[in-house]
Amino acid sequence: MTRLTYTRAQQLPALLEQRILVLDGAMGTMIQRFKLDETQYRGARFKDFHKDVKGNNELLSLTRPDVITDIHERYLAAGADMIETNTFGATRIAQADYDMADLAFEMNLASAKLARAACDKFSTPDKPRFVLGALGPTPKTASISPDVNDPGARNVTFEELRASYYEQVEALVQGGADVLLVETIFDTLNAKAALFAIDEFFEASGERLPIMISGTVTDASGRILSGQTVTAFWHSVRHAQPLAIGLNCALGATLMRPYIQELNKAAPDTFISCYPNAGLPNPMSDTGFDETPDVTSRLVGEFAAEGLVNIVGGCCGTTPAHIGAIHDKVAPMAGRTLQKNVFYKEAA
């Protein structure tokens, strides 16, 4: 990949060449531990809102910023180099489920400011911390019909996705994000809308932030939900020239291993991220997932020892204890080495 000139996080590529960086863990898992009820989700501002909002985690950036700040700071204290904004579902499209679409910009702006303040509090000259503006997949898909009897049906258009993502990007950057993370991608066309909106915003604003892209392999087929293999997915999004490409969610590290190995071969000239779930779901577990911090960190550590990754962290079921254990495990290990100008050699 051609090295881009960034207006923020300029030191990030050099840091990734020096060591493995650690991403935070699950936001939802930590929010669940607070056992917030409907009244606490609403806060004073939305006490008379006409619809239930419990479960709208992004709303907490407005009604309970103390909760979100506490979670950010716990992950940073555990050793995370990067934390995600509480914006996974903060698009206008996703918030429409709660009749809160008009709050999308405010949610993203507030969430980015909370993460920015937490990172600034923990940053030191030798360990800078970075805010990743999180762009989730939305609950709708541009590639797959929601009606089994009508394969051509769609419940969202590319233009609706693009406009929703543009609004989100604008607010995240305004709030202080260092990096834009298009994550948990189950539909490549949705991701393309996000990447189009990001590029459009860069052109309009003069900003250029590093981009990270993270897909989700949904089962043992080795494909994302819209049908692409990991390699095909990478070739569909590499035009965005991301700083890092990776996988997250759906699978624990054990099941994710072959797909990270595939991505390692497919994208030799780009940094690779990996933040798996804490194993398989288990309703009897404190986190809702099987793996304890020592298990997850051992498995992720094996990825690092094999030279497969540059950024590691956790998704569903992971906690600050998981991230702390991952940090300790990978700290002495070198990151994956990039090969230069592979694409151009292949094309020659």
Side-chain angles (χ1 to χ4, degrees):
M1 285 294 176
T2 305
R3 181 60 59 86
L4 299 173
T5 300
Y6 299 122
T7 58
R8 301 188 186 184
Q10 293 95 336
Q11 71 272 51
L12 193 51
L15 282 173
L16 286 167
E17 290 177 349
Q18 296 167 16
R19 62 184 176 91
I20 296 173
L21 298 188
V22 177
L23 182 60
D24 61 1
M27 176 63 73
T29 299
M30 294 300 293
I31 288 174
Q32 288 171 12
R33 290 187 163 193
F34 283 84
K35 302 186 185 304
L36 303 175
D37 60 22
E38 177 70 25
T39 300
Q40 291 169 306
Y41 266 86
R42 287 170 175 261
R45 178 176 171 184
F46 300 100
K47 64 183 180 66
D48 297 321
F49 195 72
H50 66 277
K51 197 168 187 176
D52 287 349
V53 297
K54 183 180 178 181
N56 187 359
N57 290 343
E58 292 74 22
L59 180 62
L60 295 174
S61 293
L62 303 179
T63 59
R64 291 298 303 269
D66 57 312
V67 168
I68 304 305
T69 294
D70 180 75
I71 293 169
H72 285 326
E73 292 188 353
R74 287 175 185 264
Y75 280 124
L76 290 165
D81 299 286
M82 304 170 159
I83 59 169
E84 294 186 47
T85 54
N86 178 39
T87 54
F88 184 84
T91 53
R92 183 172 288 268
I93 290 171
Q95 285 300 314
D97 290 347
Y98 294 97
D99 291 347
M100 288 187 161
D102 290 343
L103 293 172
F105 188 94
E106 185 182 357
M107 285 178 177
N108 284 282
L109 182 64
S111 296
K113 287 181 176 179
L114 292 174
R116 177 77 273 149
C119 279
D120 290 346
K121 179 178 177 180
F122 279 80
S123 285
T124 61
D126 63 327
K127 191 175 175 68
R129 312 299 180 102
F130 300 93
V131 175
L132 271 55
L135 287 75
T138 86
K140 297 185 177 182
T141 167
S143 294
I144 303 171
S145 171
D147 182 357
V148 68
N149 296 311
D150 184 1
R154 295 293 185 270
N155 57 10
V156 71
T157 66
F158 185 93
E159 173 56 24
E160 288 168 339
L161 287 163
R162 182 211 63 79
S164 183
Y165 280 125
Y166 189 98
E167 178 182 45
Q168 185 174 35
V169 169
E170 186 176 26
L172 288 171
V173 175
Q174 188 175 323
D178 298 303
V179 180
L180 294 172
L181 169 62
V182 183
E183 66 166 344
T184 320
I185 298 163
F186 60 81
D187 184 340
T188 306
L189 191 55
N190 284 37
K192 282 178 172 288
L195 295 171
F196 187 95
I198 289 170
D199 191 58
E200 188 179 29
F201 174 79
F202 286 169
E203 186 172 341
S205 67
E207 294 276 9
R208 179 165 292 277
L209 281 60
I211 299 172
M212 291 174 56
I213 300 174
S214 187
T216 296
V217 174
T218 51
D219 56 39
S221 70
R223 297 172 182 268
I224 67 172
L225 192 63
S226 57
Q228 288 183 307
T229 63
V230 169
T231 299
F233 168 67
W234 165 234
H235 286 291
S236 293
V237 298
R238 68 174 298 160
H239 66 277
Q241 295 184 268
L243 177 69
I245 181 74
L247 298 175
N248 76 289
C249 205
L251 305 175
T254 299
L255 296 176
M256 194 178 282
R257 175 188 286 274
Y259 311 122
I260 288 292
Q261 290 172 327
E262 180 182 349
L263 194 55
N264 173 61
K265 294 177 181 177
D269 56 345
T270 306
F271 295 113
I272 286 183
S273 66
C274 173
Y275 49 115
N277 290 349
L280 299 173
N282 177 2
M284 302 301 291
S285 166
D286 178 48
T287 64
F289 285 79
D290 267 335
E291 291 177 3
T292 55
D294 61 313
V295 174
T296 302
S297 62
R298 175 178 57 80
L299 294 170
V300 172
E302 290 174 1
F303 290 5
E306 197 175 328
L308 298 175
V309 289
N310 304 100
I311 301 168
V312 292
C315 205
C316 303
T318 57
T319 66
H322 288 79
I323 299 308
I326 289 171
H327 170 271
D328 293 344
K329 181 67 71 172
V330 304
M333 300 183 188
R336 171 177 170 274
T337 303
L338 299 193
Q339 298 178 32
K340 306 297 184 183
N341 298 322
V342 171
F343 178 79
Y344 301 101
K345 289 178 182 176
E346 290 173 352

